[in-house]
Amino acid sequence: MAKLRVHLQQLPFAPVPVLSQKNKPSQDNLTEIIEFVLLGFADMPHLQWFLFGLFLIIYIIILMSNSTIFLITKMDPALQSPMYFFLANFSFLEICYVSTTLTRMLINIGTQRRRISLVACATQMCFFLLFGGTECLLLAVMAYDRYVAICDPLDYPLVMNPRVCIQLVTGSWIIGIPVVIGQTYQIFSLPFCGSKQINHYFCDIPPVLKLACGDTFVNEMLVYTVAVLFVMVPFLWILGSYSKIISIILKLPLATSQAKAFSTCSSHLMVVVLFFGSAIIAYLRPNTRHSEGTDKMLSLFYTILTPMFNPMIYCVRNKDVIMALRKLLCK
């Protein structure tokens, strides 16, 4: 027995592992992730170059069409009105909005290097939310412009004077900056552990929150709150404006007057339905119904397809824009 005791004392000490400590990551491991992997469309390896070409063509179309609208609204004297001032800003915003996500996706598909640093991911999310929120507010401003033009046409030049127009556009751009910065900071202050693969093609809020450790209830409630303020409130404002617009249009005596009034609003209304419809479904549906594949498809709709269709909608539905475009092409 004495020999056995001496032999055991000579063995190296090996601490017994505790199961709860083994399964729970330490605080150091929670903050180790300094980069993510944007999976994008990695589940379709045989279509990578097809997707690259497709999205590159879409990006070029978006750049060219929105740049054309921006130029003709600035150059053509017939388009120097508040409505086209807002349209020019909207076209410029669309270029910024799409470039935030689509350029990174093209680089990832082309190089097959899908890594993105934590700082780059936070920056992309911040600008995406900023431009998205600005688009919601700017669409509400454009609805207000149509409301004043149709419901109060005599006071329209006074109400929508150049100073007011600049203030409305500036407010749309800057009002969401502190909210977006605060939300992005709160999300990326969370500890991340486990998988660092984001099953998305850009750093959107839902797929990033899925990688966070611990309880994210407060963050999810903040997402819903911001979505209500910047998506639902402008959308309800637009619905209220158009309900009054339609009631006024229906009271016009001549069918030609009604058709002309509807034509000035139809383009904007179609853009509103496309953008807000997909955004509301993506950000305000219950969390239990979130599907990663569905999220990606919805994101493609309101981040890429809608900005591509917007210039086409405005050109097809607006005779003044068509005339200005013809003048530009004939030069």
Side-chain angles (χ1 to χ4, degrees), residues 190-312:
L190 292 170
F192 294 96
C193 59
S195 174
K196 59 181 181 179
Q197 295 181 344
I198 300 176
N199 192 8
H200 215 290
Y201 61 89
F202 71 98
C203 291
D204 200 5
I205 294 177
V208 171
L209 279 180
K210 287 180 180 179
L211 304 184
C213 297
D215 188 9
T216 60
F217 177 77
V218 175
N219 302 88
E220 292 172 3
M221 289 300 101
L222 181 62
V223 171
Y224 283 118
T225 302
V226 173
V228 168
L229 290 176
F230 285 88
V231 179
M232 282 304 301
V233 171
F235 182 63
L236 293 176
W237 170 271
I238 293 170
L239 288 182
S241 299
Y242 272 104
S243 64
K244 294 182 179 180
I245 289 172
I246 292 172
S247 65
I248 292 294
I249 291 175
L250 293 177
K251 294 178 183 178
L252 294 176
L254 298 176
T256 55
S257 300
Q258 293 180 355
K260 184 177 180 180
F262 271 120
S263 67
T264 61
C265 302
S266 58
S267 301
H268 178 255
L269 193 57
M270 290 174 67
V271 171
V272 166
V273 171
L274 287 172
F275 180 77
F276 278 97
S278 54
I280 289 172
I281 295 173
Y283 287 99
L284 291 176
R285 60 188 170 138
N287 194 34
T288 54
R289 296 183 181 180
H290 277 210
S291 167
E292 293 176 342
T294 305
D295 285 344
K296 278 196 280 190
M297 291 301 105
L298 283 172
S299 299
L300 280 175
F301 197 85
Y302 65 80
T303 60
I304 296 176
L305 296 181
T306 302
M308 182 180 69
F309 290 138
N310 289 348
M312 301 177 189

Side-chain angles (χ1 to χ4, degrees), residues 23-314:
N23 293 335
K24 184 178 179 180
S26 66
Q27 188 65 29
D28 294 336
N29 289 334
L30 295 181
T31 57
E32 274 184 0
I33 293 180
I34 59 174
E35 65 178 9
F36 295 109
V37 178
L38 287 169
L39 295 180
F41 302 96
D43 55 340
M44 295 182 285
H46 302 295
L47 297 176
Q48 294 300 296
W49 288 111
F50 170 77
L51 292 174
F52 178 82
L54 176 63
F55 289 129
L56 180 61
I57 292 172
I58 291 175
Y59 186 49
I60 293 172
I61 292 173
I62 292 172
L63 291 180
M64 292 182 63
S65 56
N66 283 284
S67 298
T68 301
I69 289 182
F70 180 82
L71 288 175
I72 61 176
T73 52
K74 293 296 182 182
M75 296 171 57
D76 197 296
L79 301 182
Q80 303 308 307
S81 66
M83 181 176 71
Y84 296 109
F85 172 74
F86 295 134
L87 181 57
N89 281 273
F90 185 73
S91 297
F92 175 73
L93 175 61
E94 289 285 63
I95 294 173
C96 299
Y97 179 64
V98 172
S99 298
T100 304
T101 57
L102 198 48
T103 51
R104 184 80 197 195
M105 183 172 66
L106 289 171
I107 293 172
N108 289 346
I109 296 176
T111 62
Q112 293 297 305
R113 296 180 63 183
R114 307 179 187 277
R115 298 180 182 275
I116 183 171
S117 67
L118 198 70
V119 175
C121 188
T123 303
Q124 185 187 49
M125 179 184 291
C126 185
F127 278 103
F128 170 76
L129 295 176
L130 175 62
F131 294 141
T134 303
E135 184 159 345
C136 294
L137 296 176
L138 192 55
L139 286 170
V141 167
M142 295 169 76
Y144 175 69
D145 171 71
R146 292 297 84 208
Y147 166 77
V148 177
I150 293 175
C151 299
D152 195 10
L154 296 179
D155 293 332
Y156 180 73
L158 181 63
V159 175
M160 301 302 294
N161 60 72
R163 182 181 177 183
V164 171
C165 293
I166 293 173
Q167 289 175 345
L168 289 172
V169 170
T170 305
S172 299
W173 277 92
I174 67 174
I175 196 172
I177 291 177
V179 177
V180 166
I181 292 176
Q183 186 176 32
T184 305
Y185 176 78
Q186 187 182 37
I187 290 173
F188 283 89
S189 296
L190 292 170
F192 294 96
C193 59
S195 174
K196 59 181 181 179
Q197 295 181 344
I198 300 176
N199 192 8
H200 215 290
Y201 61 89
F202 71 98
C203 291
D204 200 5
I205 294 177
V208 171
L209 279 180
K210 287 180 180 179
L211 304 184
C213 297
D215 188 9
T216 60
F217 177 77
V218 175
N219 302 88
E220 292 172 3
M221 289 300 101
L222 181 62
V223 171
Y224 283 118
T225 302
V226 173
V228 168
L229 290 176
F230 285 88
V231 179
M232 282 304 301
V233 171
F235 182 63
L236 293 176
W237 170 271
I238 293 170
L239 288 182
S241 299
Y242 272 104
S243 64
K244 294 182 179 180
I245 289 172
I246 292 172
S247 65
I248 292 294
I249 291 175
L250 293 177
K251 294 178 183 178
L252 294 176
L254 298 176
T256 55
S257 300
Q258 293 180 355
K260 184 177 180 180
F262 271 120
S263 67
T264 61
C265 302
S266 58
S267 301
H268 178 255
L269 193 57
M270 290 174 67
V271 171
V272 166
V273 171
L274 287 172
F275 180 77
F276 278 97
S278 54
I280 289 172
I281 295 173
Y283 287 99
L284 291 176
R285 60 188 170 138
N287 194 34
T288 54
R289 296 183 181 180
H290 277 210
S291 167
E292 293 176 342
T294 305
D295 285 344
K296 278 196 280 190
M297 291 301 105
L298 283 172
S299 299
L300 280 175
F301 197 85
Y302 65 80
T303 60
I304 296 176
L305 296 181
T306 302
M308 182 180 69
F309 290 138
N310 289 348
M312 301 177 189
I313 292 171
Y314 278 110

